[in-house]
Amino acid sequence: QLEVDEKVINLEKNFVKTQADEALDNISGSISSNGKPISTIKAGENVTDAVLKLHSNYVKNLNNMYKNIKNIEGFNPDAIIDVRSINNLAKRIENQYPTKTKAYGQTEVTTPVIPQQLQGVLDDLKNLDNLTFEQAFNYKNILNDSLTNATSPTKADLDIMKVIKSLDQKMGKSLKSMGQDPVNKRRIFREYNKMQAFIANEGNIFNTSVMKGIINNKSQAKDLLVPALMNGDLATFRVFEKALGKEFNGVLQDAKSAAFNEMLRKSRSSLGDDFTNPETLLNQINQ
């Protein structure tokens, strides 16, 4: 009789465990975009795909805007810009950093200790005398990409911003000399300023360290977004919200669902084999 009773009890326990699993899956699924549970990996892949799609569209639109400017009569992408003052600025920036001295036999060599983020930029700038307008435009984009976009800019960020500002001023002077026809001259300025506003408003979204990590395949969304949600790091989630917007709201909902499901899974594992203490589970969910 005891063996029979034990079998009945085990069957009932398994039934309760199955019901609990289904109920918890329903909770996480109710948060998702289609009412069904989604895995952390799949949710991360969807966010990554959305970010890459938006970035691709941004690059395409930016190229089209610049192409339209190049088609305006009088615009000269090959106009020469004297960047020797920027060359000197790069040298002054380099001299602000501490130095280290290393002995090579009888010879001692002193070199500045420069952040990796800035080293390549300075090496390029120190050897430049002239750039075409198009080269300056492309180089400015490279400089923008090298910024960390941290909440508090690093010293290297501030130094790169000085170079960008100086380059901007020189490009502005170059633009003023383009186009003989007043109508075309105004059109060049108008379209160029529109493109600059597009870069500032749309491009900066992709310059955050979080977005750069995904775009450059150095990190995946599942490794950033789900842990951020589980740990209450809303700042990281806000970056994704701003980048993806309403168009990909369902993708972010699925990421929330995946994070919640992950949290439930960890909660269940901490309850032991029986899952018999609902108060403990409720406390886990609330946390």
Side-chain angles (χ1 to χ4, degrees), residues 76-80 131-134 178:
N76 181 14
D78 297 320
I80 299 299
L131 288 173
T132 66
F133 185 91
E134 186 158 310
M178 294 183 192

Side-chain angles (χ1 to χ4, degrees), residues 59-77:
V59 171
K60 191 183 298 181
N61 288 334
L62 181 61
N63 288 339
N64 287 336
M65 292 177 90
Y66 187 60
K67 185 179 177 181
N68 290 337
I69 295 172
K70 289 174 75 172
N71 288 333
I72 299 173
E73 187 178 340
F75 178 77
N76 181 14

Side-chain angles (χ1 to χ4, degrees), residues 74-92:
F75 178 77
N76 181 14
D78 297 320
I80 299 299
I81 298 176
D82 184 347
V83 293
R84 280 174 295 182
S85 62
I86 295 178
N87 177 310
N88 292 329
L89 172 62
K91 292 174 183 174
R92 289 200 302 275

Side-chain angles (χ1 to χ4, degrees), residues 110-159:
T110 301
T111 55
V113 182
I114 298 173
Q116 188 65 38
Q117 174 196 358
L118 190 59
Q119 183 67 67
V121 172
L122 292 181
D123 287 345
D124 287 342
L125 287 173
K126 285 188 301 180
N127 298 313
L128 288 176
D129 290 327
N130 295 305
L131 288 173
T132 66
F133 185 91
E134 186 158 310
Q135 286 172 333
F137 174 73
N138 291 332
Y139 197 68
K140 185 187 160 191
N141 289 335
I142 292 171
L143 291 173
N144 273 317
D145 284 343
S146 69
L147 295 172
T148 62
N149 282 279
T151 306
S152 299
T154 63
K155 185 181 184 310
D157 282 335
L158 295 173
D159 287 332

